[in-house]
Amino acid sequence: MALALLLGLGGCGGGGDGGAPSPGAATASPRTASASPTPSPARTYPLSTAPRTIPAVREHVAARGPGWRPGAGSGVVVARGSGALADEARLLARELGIADRGERPARAGDIELALDGGGASGAPESYALTVREGRVRVTGPDEAGVFYGTRTVKQALRSGGAVPEGVIRDRPDRPQRGLMIDIARKHFTAAWLEARVREMADLKLNQLGLHFSDDQAFRIESDSHPEVVSRQHLTKAEVRRIVALATSLHITVIPEVDSPGHLGAVLAAHPSLRLRNAQGTVARGAIDIARPESARIVDDLLREYARLFPGRYFHIGADEYRALTASDPEASYPALAAEARRRHGSGARIQDLATGWLNDRAAVVRAAGKQPKAWNDGFFRGGVVAADKRVEVEYWTGREIGARPPVEYLREGRKVVNANDRYLYYVLGEPNQFTYPTGREIYASWTPLVLRGTQAVPARYSGQILGGRFAVWCDLANAQTQDQVAAGIRMPLRALAQKVWDPREPALSWSEFSALAGRL
């Protein structure tokens, strides 16, 4: 009965088309070691093989035995001293339809969860999973690693009917693995976002970005500036519910209040702060960064949402400021140019004023205990003001003015997250020569080193690339329903999950990977 319940569990669905391995990709080491361990429990069993999961496990040491599947007396227990894993145990027991027996010794047929500093390698989010003598033991140095081990148990049962005998040692290649949703241009319901959180958790993804302020709308309730909030929006109660679910599944929710561009919804309520050029024409979405009132309202919002979102990160935007897209910014926006010289000296330009704005907003969120992030085209070459090197660069494009090649950022010693718009941008309606990315392309050709276009940066910079994020942008909001978006990103998200967990050439072909996604 327990197995019958298991087969009805939700998981990672999908579909797709055939693919080819990535040219020039590193050759993967064997996922299953075929040493000859002492047979357990009987010599009649064949040597086990690695379970089929998404993402694939990095290492499996084979053994002889029946593996593990839930039986009538099976339960999930927590090892003594590992009571912090009670939530993970409760969730797994519910998913498998077996008992949650709390903190007590394991017995035959059980799954035991334990915190153990060794884990798979002692690395954060790593785990070891051992199947021996009719029981399973999942250990890791932190709760997240053990949780990922339970995802492997769940997927192994769905894909193969049993968790194979032997030992799995597994860990992510990158610490930041995520999805970003533009909920400003298109309203997504709280229930839809919660479904994405659950989907991400099974794929061992750990960050959900919410871009909730833009020219079209401002989508989260505000107490400090209720006048900026759009009619359709998430309440703070809904956000707290999403954040609580994400936290329980080891996912950090990252808010983004983009400035000094993309503030049209805020400026609709504060028109006096709109940036105007020398002819008095309004620059769409841009706030006048020469005015102290501009900083005050944006900082009010940053501080308010830093309290609502308890996670480590805050995205402050900094991209596509209209003043810097003019052919001659200083001539087009003389008031900004004068303020730049007043604040930063006679040689300063508008880009220096914008960089000062970036640094000031970074200081605000850092004072609130957050690590700031910003888009790559908000970091400029030269100038008299340097962007704070502690701000993480989210590299998305080489199309925009100010978008320098990725290596320039890396040479400066900056930490970078990969949001390559060639592979990882799902833009509704496919405007501006965007096309919907496919899982096949990501699976075959993309790795965290491929920051721009299709070319990888030198491997010596790998340690500065923190991970990757798939992004849904809603430029033409009505081009797809939210259910169509969920279906459209299903396979790209699974391919991303595989490549940020293990960027080596995958062991499965694309057709095999797609078929597996359909079973999970």
Side-chain angles (χ1 to χ4, degrees):
M1 181 178 293
L3 184 58
L5 287 170
L6 173 68
L7 294 176
L9 290 173
C12 309
D17 48 6
S22 170
T27 302
S29 59
R31 268 49 169 193
T32 301
S34 56
S36 299
T38 302
S40 171
R43 294 180 183 276
T44 56
Y45 291 105
L47 206 59
S48 64
T49 58
R52 291 206 162 183
T53 61
I54 297 175
V57 302
R58 295 176 69 94
E59 179 187 350
H60 175 249
V61 179
R64 298 184 189 277
W68 181 90
R69 67 187 70 207
S74 295
V76 181
V77 301
V78 173
R80 188 177 302 278
S82 298
L85 297 171
D87 288 346
E88 286 74 19
R90 191 177 303 113
L91 174 62
L92 183 64
R94 184 168 69 247
E95 290 173 324
L96 302 189
I98 60 179
D100 170 22
R101 293 210 300 272
E103 194 170 335
R104 63 179 63 194
R107 62 191 188 190
D110 283 350
I111 299 178
E112 181 183 35
L113 308 183
L115 292 171
D116 175 0
S121 61
E125 300 184 292
S126 64
Y127 69 93
L129 190 159
T130 303
V131 180
R132 183 182 296 131
E133 297 176 348
R135 67 184 69 184
V136 179
R137 179 174 169 84
V138 183
T139 64
D142 55 33
E143 294 172 51
V146 175
F147 174 72
Y148 297 143
T150 69
R151 302 305 86 194
T152 296
V153 169
K154 176 181 174 181
Q155 289 196 24
L157 289 168
R158 284 190 62 82
S159 65
V163 187
E165 203 84 6
V167 179
I168 292 168
R169 297 186 183 92
D170 204 10
R171 60 174 178 79
D173 187 72
R174 306 286 155 159
Q176 297 192 37
R177 310 176 303 279
L179 169 67
M180 192 230 70
I181 306 290
D182 170 13
I183 66 171
R185 294 179 177 90
K186 183 179 182 68
H187 176 65
F188 291 89
T189 65
W192 188 90
L193 291 168
E194 289 168 344
R196 302 289 72 70
V197 167
R198 294 187 180 95
E199 179 181 17
M200 292 170 62
D202 278 354
L203 296 169
K204 303 183 175 81
L205 299 172
N206 66 359
Q207 292 181 345
L208 173 65
L210 295 180
H211 177 93
F212 63 89
S213 169
D214 213 301
D215 296 343
Q216 293 79 0
F218 192 102
R219 299 284 191 186
I220 295 179
E221 177 185 359
S222 172
D223 298 317
S224 68
H225 289 281
E227 73 280 0
V228 308
V229 180
S230 301
R231 183 183 61 81
Q232 278 191 310
H233 63 271
L234 297 174
T235 67
K236 285 192 172 181
E238 288 175 319
V239 171
R240 290 187 184 103
R241 192 176 75 209
I242 293 166
V243 168
L245 174 64
T247 301
S248 74
L249 299 176
H250 303 281
I251 293 170
T252 299
V253 183
I254 303 173
E256 181 187 351
V257 176
D258 199 348
S259 77
H262 295 280
L263 282 171
V266 171
L267 293 170
H270 295 272
S272 65
L273 299 181
R274 288 172 170 153
L275 177 66
R276 297 176 183 272
N277 67 13
Q279 288 73 44
T281 303
V282 170
R284 183 172 182 264
I287 201 165
D288 186 346
I289 59 176
R291 302 185 60 175
E293 300 94 327
S294 297
R296 279 197 288 270
I297 189 171
V298 170
D299 291 350
D300 286 346
L301 295 169
L302 294 176
R303 293 187 181 102
E304 177 178 6
Y305 295 108
R307 293 189 294 271
L308 181 62
F309 292 90
R312 176 184 174 190
Y313 302 95
F314 204 117
H315 203 308
I316 57 176
D319 62 312
E320 298 182 315
Y321 188 48
R322 295 276 176 169
L324 293 170
T325 64
S327 58
D328 187 342
E330 282 66 34
S332 298
Y333 296 91
L336 289 184
E339 184 64 14
R341 292 190 296 271
R342 188 187 72 79
R343 293 189 192 181
H344 304 296
S346 60
R349 296 178 292 160
I350 294 174
Q351 76 167 49
D352 298 299
L353 193 65
T355 301
W357 175 277
L358 167 69
N359 291 344
D360 290 345
R361 307 295 73 76
V364 169
V365 300
R366 190 175 287 110
K370 308 298 184 185
Q371 166 62 51
K373 294 173 169 287
W375 299 113
N376 68 285
D377 51 325
F379 297 76
F380 303 100
R381 181 187 291 121
V384 300
V385 180
D388 185 340
K389 285 193 176 180
R390 295 170 294 175
V391 179
E392 291 180 6
V393 179
E394 302 246 335
Y395 197 98
W396 71 279
T397 189
R399 303 183 186 203
E400 301 293 332
I401 294 173
R404 297 179 285 144
V407 169
E408 287 195 24
Y409 302 81
L410 296 167
R411 284 174 182 159
E412 293 172 1
R414 298 187 183 278
K415 299 292 181 66
V416 176
V417 174
N418 191 322
N420 186 333
D421 64 350
R422 166 66 175 77
Y423 292 98
L424 306 180
Y425 262 36
Y426 191 92
V427 185
L428 296 199
E430 300 182 307
N432 301 321
Q433 299 182 319
F434 282 107
T435 58
Y436 294 128
T438 68
R440 176 181 177 177
E441 291 177 312
I442 298 167
Y443 194 75
S445 305
W446 180 86
T447 75
L449 296 182
V450 182
L451 281 163
R452 175 173 170 174
T454 60
Q455 298 301 309
V457 298
R460 65 179 178 274
Y461 294 117
S462 182
Q464 293 171 235
I465 302 172
L466 302 175
R469 190 161 5 268
F470 191 82
V472 176
W473 293 103
C474 302
D475 292 40
L476 299 176
N478 295 324
Q480 291 189 344
T481 67
Q482 61 179 15
D483 289 339
Q484 288 173 323
V485 172
I489 69 174
R490 182 176 299 276
M491 286 308 295
L493 202 59
R494 280 147 182 76
L496 173 84
Q498 174 61 45
K499 299 300 280 287
V500 289
W501 190 267
D502 186 350
R504 298 175 296 177
E505 184 176 341
L508 299 183
S509 69
W510 174 248
S511 59
E512 291 171 327
F513 184 84
S514 299
L516 175 61
R519 294 198 300 274
L520 296 178

